Structure formats: structure tokens, C-alpha cells
Amino acid sequence: MHTEQLDAGLFRSVAPNGLVILTEHLPAVRSVAVGVWVRAGSGHEPAAQVGISHLLEHLVFKGTERRTAKELAFALEERGGSLDAWTGRDASSFQAHVLDEDLPLAVEVLTDLVRHPLLRPADLELERQVVLEEISSVDDAPDDLVFELHAKALWPDDPLGCSILGTPETIGALTAADVRAHHASAYYPGNSVIAAAGNLTHELLLELLAREGWLEGAARLPLPSREASPAARGVRADAERDTTQSHIVLGTDTFRVSDPRRYALSLLVNTVGGGMSSRLFQRVREELGLAYAIYAYRHFHQGTGQLGVYVGTQPGSGDAALAAIVEEFERLARAGLDAAELEGGRRQLKGQIMLALESPGARMSRLAGAALQGEPYRPLAQVLGEIDAVTAEETNALAAEFFAPARQTVQWLGPKAAPKRRAKAR
């Protein structure tokens, strides 16, 4: 076992079998957040099995070798704790937040879920229906559906363009043998990261993991990360739907999560649509009154990244709202940020990062994120220093490349024949 201290109260160990374990001691709290990340998400799925990672995430809660589904539900909640899971593009995660005295129980329950699920055919038939209901709920929520349609338009030939939930066809075709094979191929210690933050010691977590068998077995390399297929840029896609609003997303691909330019791009995205002070909120909502909801976002994955803008508006206002967004993109791509925006963007991004780290769960996720990305741990002061080092030349170059209107793929979801917007009464 190789263990090193990364920072004050922060340790990292790598077990002989490849498992990565990280902890951060936070003596001022009485809780612990602990989670298991498995390097298997929807971005790794073959076309015929789209949604299998998410379905597996559901199925592990239906029962394990030591606990029934009801016992899993009650184990931590009856002590005031919580148990949660999610599936992403690059990984699946199972997390618990408990009182410090209940850390042994949390590790035991997480081990049950990740290492010892039953994955019975009868449970698959029940949970298949639950996932199909989840897919239907997205289809009934146009402000969610438009993002899935935009991803498909941007990456038509890549798993990133597929819904994490899968489709009714792929979910309907999956068998218990398929799910067991997926579990066996990905859910092993060398493909996992375990992180915890709160009132615990690194030695205690190692002892608990050893008790649960996490440190046993031969070394096994993690699954390799994959490159994304080339994105379809400058595409316009329209989906007719009888909705009361037009839902529009425009955006493009960017770069992977490990790219050092990610802070400069995050700063730009915040300035464009990161809140009430952003350019788009002030222009599209406050000045023009064209929308209630408008914001920009960015996602970074192992093989690529994405930025975009969402706006929901009356059908008759869609063209005007889209034109206003494109106008702001043109201005940003041409002139970049002025000095005040650059300085304000630095303060905003640093504040967001620091405020997000005020909970054990956020600190746990930060530790796991660095390990999943294969990056060395960087102290908070170093991260803030990198944000301070972002220059106007850097942001201007990124603005010119990634906010160029011709690069943006547009997804429009709403009525086919949009009525003209009425003029406001004077």
C-alpha cells in the first residue's frame, strides 16, 4: 500500500489491486461524506446497450447478498443519514452522508451496493418499468428533453449524443445476463475510486475497506478513457412539439476536463450567462423581456467538453431571443472581455469554487474528481492562483474559437408555426 500526504489533513493511498483511496479530515464537522466512483458511465456504452450503466445503478438497490431492498433503504436513513447514486458520462457514483460514528455502516452499505448486488431477473423486470417511466418523464418535460436532443444533434454518432437513461428499445432489450456482464467488466477495485471527507482519519477508512475486502485481489488496470467522435458544428435541428414555450439550446464542443484552459472557459461562460449579472440575462431578460429563463452552462468530460446556452420563450419570441443570443456571441467572439469583466469573472469563479467547498460532500467530490481525471491533487491556493493567472489574451482566443456563431449547433423544440409576438401596449 502506497500512502502519501497531499495537504494538511488530506491523504491518498493506492492499494496493490489498483484501488485509489482519498480522505480529507475536517475536524469541525460531526459528519462524513463517503463515496465510491466506478469508471463506467454512459460514454462507454455500445449502441445496443445504451442505458445499461444507469439501469445497473438502479438495480443494485433492489437487494444485495446481505440486505434486502427495504433494509438498504432503512440502513442509513433511520440514523439521519442519506444514500444516493448517479450515472454520468464518465463514471457512476454511490455516496453516503452520515454521522461520523456511522462511517463503518456507510462503508458496509456502499460495499453491498457496489460489490455484492444480486441483479436478479425478477428485479430487472420491475426496475425496467421504473426506468421507462423515467424516460417518459423526460419526454414530458421539454426543458429537459431539449438538452438530450441538442446532444444528439451535436454528437450524432457518439455515446455522448445518447441519453444516459437509454431508450425504450435498448432498455426493453437488456437482460439480467447483460447487466451482470456489465457489472463484472467494470465494478472492480482497480476501476474504482473511494473518497471521503469529514470527521474521520485515513487509517480508519483503510481499516474499514480492508474489513470489507476492497484491498484484496490482484492488480487490474482501470478501463481506458475514450475519445469522443468529432462533433457536428453549425447544425440547426428543429423538433415540433405542441408546447406553450419554445425551448432553444445552442452550443458547441470544447475540450476535455484535464485541459488547462478550463478555468478561462468557465470564466467566459459565467460572464455570458452565469447569473443575473451576466450579459445574456441583462440583455435578453432585463432589456428585451424575451424570456424568463436563460443561462449558459459548460460540461467537461474525459474526452471532450461542451458549452451552451438555454432559453425558454414564447413561441413568437423565439427568433428574437435567438438573434439576441447570437449577437452577444458575435460581440464576445470579436472583442472578448473588457478589463472589468475579466476581473469580475475571476472573482465570481473563485467565489463559486470556495463556497462550493463548504460541505463535506463537495470536498469528497473534489478529491474523487482529480483521481478520476488522472490529475495530481492541487491545493485550493494553487487553483485560485491559476484563475488569477488567466489573461485577456487567453480569454479572447477562447471567445474567438468557441463562441463564434458559425460553430454553434442549434436545437429548437416547440410549435411548428410560431405566432407573431404582440407589441407591448404603451
Side-chain angles (χ1 to χ4, degrees), residues 363-376:
R363 288 183 174 269
M364 169 195 69
S365 297
R366 178 171 180 257
L367 294 177
L372 291 168
Q373 296 156 21
E375 290 193 318

Side-chain angles (χ1 to χ4, degrees), residues 121-200:
D123 295 329
L124 172 60
E125 294 310 313
L126 286 173
E127 208 59 27
R128 192 195 313 273
Q129 297 306 312
V130 174
V131 173
L132 290 173
E133 291 293 339
E134 192 175 356
I135 293 171
S136 296
S137 71
V138 172
D139 195 57
D140 285 340
D143 53 342
D144 289 334
L145 179 61
V146 69
F147 289 97
E148 296 202 346
L149 295 175
H150 183 265
K152 185 65 175 178
L154 190 59
W155 284 292
D157 302 314
D158 191 273
L160 289 174
C162 299
S163 170
I164 291 175
L165 304 181
T167 69
E169 294 74 23
T170 58
I171 296 302
L174 290 171
T175 66
D178 294 329
V179 178
R180 289 196 195 101
H182 182 68
H183 181 267
S185 69
Y187 280 54
Y188 56 90
N191 200 42
S192 304
V193 172
I194 296 180
N199 192 24
L200 82 161

Side-chain angles (χ1 to χ4, degrees), residues 72-114:
L72 288 169
F74 276 75
L76 302 183
E77 283 193 9
E78 67 181 3
R79 295 169 177 261
S82 63
L83 183 64
D84 199 7
W86 53 259
T87 303
R89 297 295 186 185
D90 298 320
S92 300
S93 181
F94 304 84
Q95 303 172 7
H97 189 198
V98 296
L99 293 175
D100 49 14
E101 64 193 47
D102 291 326
L103 177 61
L105 177 61
V107 171
E108 184 182 319
V109 170
L110 289 171
T111 302
D112 273 359
L113 291 173
V114 176

Side-chain angles (χ1 to χ4, degrees), residues 213-224:
W214 277 98
L215 309 185
E216 299 171 1
R220 190 175 171 189
L221 293 174
L223 295 176

